[in-house]
């Protein structure tokens, strides 16, 4: 038992370190782009990257959740994993057929040809293939292979993308680098394919996974449109500067998302283990402490970014074009803090096979939040972009939390959120006093 715990801890640390290192490289690459590219070119990069992320999302959205739901029922897990790969291929083909023409239609001012859009789409699909393989082999507890799949292809994409943008000063070159990295990774996989699970032709199982995945596809789509996907709305309502600023700040905010995800990856297994013991009081007691720690850490990191950013901008003139963004940062970072109850409550929906209910609540809150966000952008102008981001996440958290509270007697755990928001407010006040912003 002790050996198993030590092994789990070892791989848990390996996942966290490898993910943090890879995302850290990506963060600095995107920050470099924000500095060297013009406002117009960086805004174009943001829109193209937003498209890239929705293709990645759709390629495997809901498949993992469907597989987890079938694990207890399916005796032959190997066939189940092969079926999941087949569904991935099907979703990827649909992505190619739908997203390429749709992107050309919704982004008319783009100078990209169909070939270029196809290249972005293909690169996204191939890269998400390795991410998906990482998820699947992790379910088989092949943790080392999982880390290899999730770490090296994206890292190679960042490196090649950075090099091509560095030499060409054109944002589209990044997606060429990602495509090259994906092909190189596939070539390497060919020689080590003995670790590859393979595919299934079982029509019955494929239909079952597709049907089960639908609620999660809807949830993932709204998560995208209320994140990077909003760049298209901003592009329609505002100018290139606001698009570039949103992409820049959203990239910075990814640091908080990384921290939150890492902490949630620690908490979720503990949640499921305690839940199996049917000890809901123990879950809520431990989470009460966890939420305070999580809120404080996210708040402190966000506050540090707010305080340090004016200093960084004063040393690197290329970032001066993004000045005066402290209040925007507050609402953007605050959005992650008000998501803490959502992250916890969704575990109840997943373990209780309430994916459809979670989808319905998410659809209702996302639609209402999206309308509110658009209204705020229209009436409040630039600050409405970030205020709307904050409130749409708050609405989603409240609706999912209060429904879950009635159904499963979930306790009120908003202390971490309030503590984190308080820390962010202190940082904004500090900047106002010191820098006079």
């Amino acid at each position: 038992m002790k050996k198993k715990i030590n092994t789990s801890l070892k791989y848990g640390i390996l996942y966290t370190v490898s993910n943090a290192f890879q995302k850290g490289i990506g963060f600095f690459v995107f920050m470099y782009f924000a500095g060297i590219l013009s406002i117009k070119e960086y805004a174009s990069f943001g829109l193209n990257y937003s498209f890239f992320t929705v293709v990645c999302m759709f390629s495997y959205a809901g498949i993992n959740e469907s597989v987890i739901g079938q694990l207890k029922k399916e005796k032959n897990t190997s066939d189940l994993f092969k079926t999941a790969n087949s569904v991935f291929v099907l979703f990827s083909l649909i992505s190619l057929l739908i997203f390429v023409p749709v992107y050309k239609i919704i982004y008319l001012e783009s100078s990209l040809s169909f070939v270029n859009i196809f290249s972005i789409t293909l690169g996204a699909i191939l890269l998400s293939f390795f991410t998906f393989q990482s998820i699947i082999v992790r379910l088989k507890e092949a943790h080392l292979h999982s880390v290899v799949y999730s770490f090296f292809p994206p890292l190679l994409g960042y490196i090649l993308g950075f090099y091509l943008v560095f030499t060409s000063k054109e944002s589209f070159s990044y997606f060429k680098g990602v495509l090259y990295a994906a092909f190189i990774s596939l070539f390497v996989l060919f020689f080590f394919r003995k670790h590859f699970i393979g595919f299934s032709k079982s029509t019955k199982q494929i239909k079952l996974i597709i049907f089960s995945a639908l609620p999660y596809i809807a949830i993932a789509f709204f998560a995208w449109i209320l994140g990077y996907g909003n760049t298209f709305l901003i592009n329609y309502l505002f100018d290139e500067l606001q698009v570039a600023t949103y992409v820049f700040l959203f990239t910075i905010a990814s640091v908080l998302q990384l921290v939150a995800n890492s902490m949630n990856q620690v908490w979720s297994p503990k949640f499921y283990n305690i839940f199996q013991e049917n000890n809901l009081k123990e879950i809520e007691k431990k989470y009460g402490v966890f939420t305070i720690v999580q809120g404080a850490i996210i708040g402190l990191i966000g506050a540090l970014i707010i305080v340090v950013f004016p200093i960084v901008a004063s040393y690197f003139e290329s970032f001066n074009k993004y000045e005066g963004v402290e209040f925007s940062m507050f609402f953007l970072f605050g959005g992650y803090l008000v998501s803490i109850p959502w992250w916890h409550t969704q575990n109840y929906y997943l373990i209780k096979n309430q994916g459809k209910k979670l989808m319905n609540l998410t659809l209702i809150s996302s639609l209402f939040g999206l309308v509110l966000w658009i209204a705020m952008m229209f009436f409040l102008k630039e600050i409405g972009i970030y205020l709307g981001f904050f409130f749409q996440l708050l609405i989603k958290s409240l609706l999912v939390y209060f429904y879950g509270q009635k159904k499963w007697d979930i306790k009120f755990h908003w202390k971490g959120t309030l503590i984190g928001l308080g820390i962010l407010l202190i940082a904004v006040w500090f900047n106002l006093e010191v820098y006079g912003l």
Side-chain angles (χ1 to χ4, degrees):
M1 182 68 178
K2 186 176 180 181
K3 184 178 179 181
K4 186 176 181 180
I5 293 173
N6 289 337
T7 301
S8 299
L9 180 61
K10 180 180 70 174
Y11 283 117
I13 293 172
L14 184 59
Y15 278 123
T16 302
V17 172
S18 62
N19 187 45
F21 180 79
Q22 179 217 112
K23 297 296 189 214
I25 295 296
F27 174 79
F28 285 111
V29 167
F30 288 4
M31 287 294 99
Y32 175 78
F33 292 169
I36 67 160
L37 296 176
S38 66
I39 289 293
K40 181 178 181 180
E41 194 69 22
Y42 192 63
S44 176
F45 168 77
L47 291 164
N48 290 332
Y49 187 74
S50 175
F51 172 69
F52 178 89
T53 57
V54 75
V55 175
C56 287
M57 175 275 298
F58 186 80
S59 296
Y60 63 88
I63 304 178
N64 177 49
E65 290 83 357
S66 300
V67 169
I68 291 174
Q70 296 296 320
L71 280 175
K72 292 182 179 179
K73 305 174 186 177
E74 184 61 50
K75 295 180 179 178
N76 192 337
T77 56
S78 179
D79 284 347
L80 182 62
F81 296 148
K82 289 179 180 179
T83 303
N85 276 342
S86 298
V87 176
F88 174 88
V89 172
L90 183 61
F91 281 8
S92 298
L93 290 174
I94 294 172
S95 297
L96 280 173
L97 292 173
I98 294 177
F99 287 120
V100 172
V102 166
Y103 187 51
K104 191 65 177 175
I105 293 170
I106 64 174
Y107 189 22
L108 290 173
E109 64 266 38
S110 173
S111 59
L112 294 180
S113 65
F114 275 105
V115 174
N116 287 341
I117 297 173
F118 179 85
S119 298
I120 296 176
T121 308
L122 184 60
I125 289 171
L126 294 179
L127 202 63
S128 62
F129 168 76
F130 289 100
T131 303
F132 181 65
Q133 293 311 301
S134 170
I135 294 170
I136 290 298
V137 299
R138 190 182 306 172
L139 293 176
K140 294 178 62 180
E141 296 191 14
H143 295 293
L144 187 59
H145 295 150
S146 176
V147 171
V148 171
Y149 277 129
S150 65
F151 180 72
F152 288 103
L155 180 64
L156 187 59
Y158 286 135
I159 293 171
L160 292 181
F162 169 81
Y163 173 76
L164 292 178
V165 172
F166 178 79
T167 54
S168 68
K169 299 298 186 290
E170 294 180 357
S171 62
F172 176 72
S173 297
Y174 172 79
F175 301 99
K176 289 182 181 178
V178 170
L179 185 59
Y180 297 157
F183 279 129
I184 292 171
S185 300
L186 282 175
F187 181 75
V188 173
L189 177 63
F190 178 79
F191 289 98
F192 296 94
R193 60 185 180 277
K194 66 177 181 179
H195 301 301
F196 179 60
I197 295 169
F199 301 96
S200 170
K201 296 180 181 179
S202 173
T203 306
K204 182 180 178 181
Q205 279 192 323
I206 289 173
K207 287 181 179 178
L208 186 63
I209 288 182
I210 291 174
F211 182 77
S212 301
L214 292 178
Y216 301 102
I217 291 174
I219 291 170
F221 177 75
F222 274 100
W224 171 79
I225 203 170
L226 297 173
Y228 263 118
N230 193 46
T231 51
F232 290 100
L233 284 172
I234 298 172
N235 184 56
Y236 179 77
L237 293 172
F238 302 102
D239 56 19
E240 292 166 338
L241 175 60
Q242 294 309 319
V243 175
T245 302
Y246 178 77
V247 174
F248 175 70
L249 294 181
F250 202 75
T251 301
I252 292 176
S254 67
V255 174
L256 302 186
Q257 182 71 69
L258 175 63
V259 172
N261 286 345
S262 297
M263 297 187 73
N264 289 334
Q265 285 174 1
V266 173
W267 166 251
S268 292
K270 185 182 289 293
F271 171 90
Y272 294 129
N273 289 334
I274 300 175
F275 189 89
Q276 295 299 329
E277 300 170 2
N278 199 28
N279 194 343
L280 298 184
K281 288 185 178 180
E282 184 68 13
I283 287 177
E284 293 303 316
K285 180 181 178 182
K286 288 183 179 297
Y287 188 72
V289 177
F290 177 80
T291 184
I292 293 174
V293 175
Q294 187 174 44
I297 290 176
I298 293 174
L300 286 169
I301 294 174
L304 181 64
I305 294 171
I306 291 173
V307 171
V308 169
F309 180 73
I311 301 172
V312 174
S314 67
Y315 280 98
F316 299 96
E317 294 183 2
S318 57
F319 290 129
N320 285 340
K321 52 196 171 191
Y322 305 111
E323 62 183 356
V325 292
E326 281 72 21
F327 282 106
S328 300
M329 283 184 177
F330 170 80
F331 290 116
L332 194 62
F333 298 169
Y336 294 105
L337 287 164
V338 297
S339 296
I340 291 177
W342 152 265
W343 294 329
H344 174 53
T345 309
Q346 72 169 342
N347 288 324
Y348 282 95
Y349 290 87
L350 294 176
I351 204 166
K352 291 283 190 177
N353 291 320
Q354 293 290 311
K356 188 175 181 180
K357 174 58 67 175
L358 182 62
M359 178 196 72
N360 291 335
L361 293 172
T362 302
L363 285 174
I364 293 169
S365 62
S366 296
L367 284 171
F368 183 75
L370 182 60
V371 171
L372 179 63
W373 197 354
I374 294 172
M376 285 186 168
M377 286 191 285
F378 187 80
F379 290 107
L380 301 178
K381 304 305 177 184
E382 288 83 358
I383 194 61
I385 298 172
Y386 306 96
L387 196 60
F389 178 86
F390 176 87
F391 275 106
Q392 58 91 7
L393 287 175
L394 177 61
I395 290 168
K396 184 172 74 170
S397 261
L398 287 172
L399 186 60
V400 172
Y401 169 77
F402 282 120
Y403 180 86
Q405 186 185 47
K406 289 181 180 179
K407 199 170 182 66
W408 299 298
D409 193 31
I410 302 172
K411 303 302 179 185
F412 183 83
H413 291 306
W414 291 75
K415 291 180 181 178
T417 296
L418 297 175
I419 290 171
L421 290 174
I423 294 172
L424 291 180
L425 273 176
I426 292 172
V428 173
W429 170 82
F430 179 85
N431 279 21
L432 289 170
E433 290 294 316
V434 175
Y435 305 116
L437 300 172

